[in-house]
Amino acid sequence: MAITHAIASGMGGMRTAGDLVARMQMTRGMRIKEAKEYVARKLSVSVTDLSDPFRMTEIRDELGIGLVTPLPGRPMGMEAKFRIAEILGIKINCVNKFKKKANIDR
Amino acid sequence: MPKILTRMGDGFLAEVSEGELRKDLEEGTKDAAERAKVPPLNEDELRHLYDIYRSSAKFTSVDIGDEVVLTYDAGTLKIRRVGIDVGRIHALQIYERLLGADTMELAHVDYSYKAVKPIVGNEQPILEQALLTSTIPLFYGAMPNLGIYSQPDGPVPNASELMPMGKIAEARAAQEEAVELAVKDMVYVGSAMYESGADGINFDTTGAAGDPDFLATLRASKILKAKYPDLCVELGMAGEFILGMHGRLEFEGVRLAGLYPHEQVKLAQSAGVSIFGPVVNTNTSKSCAWNIARAITFIKPCVANATIPVHANMGMGVGGAPVVDNPPTDAISRASKAMVEIGRLDGL
Amino acid sequence: MGKILTRMGDGFLSEMTEGELQKDIEEGTQDAADRAGVPPLSADELKHLFDIYHSPAKFVSVEPGNEIVLSFDAGTLKLQRLGINTGRIHNIQIMERALGADTMEMGHIDYSYKAVKPIVGDEQQEFEQALLVSTLPLFYGAMPNLAIYSQPDGPVANSAELLPLGKIAESRVAQEEAVELAVKDMVYVGSAMYESGADGINFDTTGAAGDPDFLATLRVTKILKEKYPEMCIELGMAGEFILGMHGKLEFEGVRLAGLYPHEQVKLAQKAGVTIFGPTVNTNTSRSCAWNIARAITFIKPCVANATIPVHANMGMGVGGAPVVDNPPTDAISRASKAMVEIGRLDGL
Amino acid sequence: MAITHAIASGMGGMRTAGDLVARMQMTRGMRIGEAKAYVAQKLSVPVQDLADPVRMAEVRDDLDLGLVRSLPHRVKGIDAKFRIAEVLGIGINCVNRFRGRVGKKFK
């Protein structure tokens, strides 16, 4: 079920920019079009690039926002979310909690 | 005239002629339009639906560039249900890295806020660890599930036992008590999970126990949003129509019983919901084409009325997907494409 | 005279003289003997205890040949509680292959039969897979946990609220109702797990809610053993003394309130229990030596009265083990050796 | 906690014969001494061998009762339990159910 929807109409999560567009819906209540345009602008790419896994792998690697295949030395998990919050200009709940716990809440 | 291979709402393969397919689509949209008093799909939309369901391809999809984001109800449970013995953090990683999920949800096997309350302290460390190792947005989700507040499982008298005895007032009082208790539990668990770092809270299958279920969830959403303005609340429904189990309950002056998706979304918005998930149930004795035409007719005006993102429920037995545990990709991919392209959705 | 390093019941390290140690052991056994009306430990036994607790070794153990078998309450949960993100089948394999467990138990995170009932199908599916890939005997376990049958969590009136109001009769009725419901749930879940192939069913922390809790479990045991004569039932207790929350409840003519382990075991045998697990709680303000002398004094006559195997509970805060989440091996190994060698147990 | 008890006074599970002795308590309600004597007799070893991991690894391998190390071509899991039921002369619930599920021929 999940796989079929993901292939038929899903953005592709971390393979592309699906998680980033989802974050704009979740944090700013943006509709799909607005959310995609916002993310494209922040990443300095075209909206079409957002669902292209080839292009997005390059972009995600350059920006350090997490790759679906985690390569050594690249940001992943919490590290990637620090950068996502910064690049998209949004608050991510667990990132803020982490900063508090690690005493880097500035 | 060649036959078209299609499926019934129970998943069985069936053959229809072009005329039968067209008729099914027209009747499906008409059924929804009459019930919810919304416009039926127009000629262009029906034509587009016809093309999607007429295709002989095993798999179909939206056009490049039209993709939407997906949220998942009962997220980690789906891996457990198929008997894969991994921890829930592994399940999240499988979704994130293997299945390309845009978001994911951590869930307890009982999938009810009431059942989570006594073990919330066990759930929080798992969520906190999951957040450290995952990148995609993470929900914590469960059902309001007002049914389990009734005796003999829960504390309040059983409304469905009182009703047939003619004890209408007592049944209503019991449901109102259940609402109070459920609001408490949902706020308690939702707060705990947000405090642990969750990106969002999902109230799934809302309205399963009728209008009291919907009311409790709207109230819990409002309280949580007032408490945590940055919290993302997703509210997913149980069916297209709010069952009037109580009949008189209102939220901000609007009677809940009998509301359809395009009316439900307005209340969800005023309760502060961030993402709304409308549901249309599948009729197993009608074709998938009939069901999807009907589903989109309900969902389209809901999307039009919305100022927040709308993610239609497209799981087993809802949103034109057949009622079958092992879903056929032909039927799901057609429903997926049709719903996104004609329903103009923000996600599924 | 050298100082002896020992621990208090709350886990804190403390020093005592030989005379203080001797005194603690004597007082501990006397306390238990007075309460339960059983003989205190003999001079030889006290001497043996003194030697065990006098030893400066970090770790002590039984002599080769005196080993016993271990059963585990809350088995798979222990790894989950530590935040190790493995599935429960993995946990069983870790216990079987990495930690040398003699038996193992699968448990649901809420660890109550009532909470398992609605998800028993999910539990069976996983349990059946666990049986295919493990070799050691596998229990399914949970608590009778009668307290969660009370409002606002459960269906019956809350006796702890009724008692202070002087509503003694109403409070008793509520507890009797809870017994009926708990019996149903335990029989339902126990049968399902046995039908899935369980080697045994564990009723853990029995009596936590007093005499109604103990009564429900004895009745369930009797029903299950009649239904499945081959079934192994382990009944583990919550404390040394059956609290008279009701006060008048009886099983086969014996009043339950106030029973000590040597009396509890007789009823357990009558009900058809296969393995009995007596418990003695730890007093945090007394030394571990005082606590173990007291615990063994309660347990020894229980073992003597038993015709079935006895596995004393030796987890956190019971059986002379200090009340601390991260248990010090010096204290646990001393309690382990003392309980087995002097208590003459069949297992822990 | 579990590890400390296992080292201080536990039999050692599959490393030794702990699971087998446990099965006798569970299926026949035998006390510890009786259960050990029974298992020792069935395995044709002296009682003191039951808690010796070196000796029991050999015995378990010879009798195909499952080894704590998962070696290739050796029994593990349900197949080991078929053998245990046979060697100890006891019924094992999931073994009996397994027989029922795989068809009449194996009953």
Side-chain angles (χ1 to χ4, degrees), chain B residues 16-72:
Chain B
V16 290
S17 67
E18 290 184 353
E20 285 166 337
L21 174 58
R22 199 178 303 274
K23 189 161 159 271
D24 268 12
L25 293 173
E26 281 162 8
E27 284 180 2
T29 189
K30 191 157 166 276
D31 184 79
E34 283 172 7
R35 284 173 193 266
K37 299 189 180 60
V38 293
L41 298 181
N42 65 33
E43 265 315 302
D44 279 357
E45 288 163 339
L46 286 173
R47 173 78 209 160
H48 190 42
L49 261 185
Y50 177 82
D51 290 343
I52 294 172
Y53 278 79
R54 191 187 183 283
S55 155
S56 55
K58 187 174 175 63
F59 199 92
T60 177
S61 73
V62 299
D63 292 344
I64 293 173
D66 289 344
E67 300 91 346
V68 295
V69 297
L70 306 185
T71 43
Y72 297 79

Side-chain angles (χ1 to χ4, degrees), chain B residues 104-122:
Chain B
M104 199 42 204
E105 179 190 289
L106 182 74
H108 172 56
V109 61
D110 196 300
Y111 209 53
S112 311
Y113 282 97
K114 182 177 191 296
V116 174
K117 193 182 63 174
I119 52 141
V120 74
N122 297 91

Side-chain angles (χ1 to χ4, degrees), chain A residues 7-25:
Chain A
I7 306 171
S9 60
M11 284 205 64
M14 285 178 71
R15 268 201 271 270
T16 61
D19 59 321
L20 310 179
V21 176
R23 284 201 184 276
M24 296 322 299
Q25 292 194 348

Side-chain angles (χ1 to χ4, degrees), chain A residues 1 4-5 8-9 11-14 18-19 23 25 30-32 36 51 67-68 77-78 81 91 93-94 97, chain B residues 62 65 67-68 96-97 100-102 131-132 134-135 194-195 198-199 230 303 306 308-309 311 314 329 336 346:
Chain A
M1 184 68 81
T4 307
H5 282 305
S9 60
M11 284 205 64
M14 285 178 71
D19 59 321
R23 284 201 184 276
Q25 292 194 348
M30 289 180 183
R31 308 295 294 263
I32 185 78
K36 282 186 180 180
S51 41
L67 296 172
V68 74
M78 185 56 75
K81 284 187 277 195
K91 281 190 252 175
N93 188 12
C94 65
K97 296 275 191 291
Chain B
V62 299
E67 300 91 346
V68 295
E96 173 176 287
R97 293 171 182 278
D102 300 311
L131 286 162
L132 291 176
S134 65
T135 304
Y194 186 70
E195 296 284 356
D199 290 297
D230 289 336
V303 176
I308 55 174
H311 290 199
M314 298 287 285
T329 48
S336 205
D346 303 281

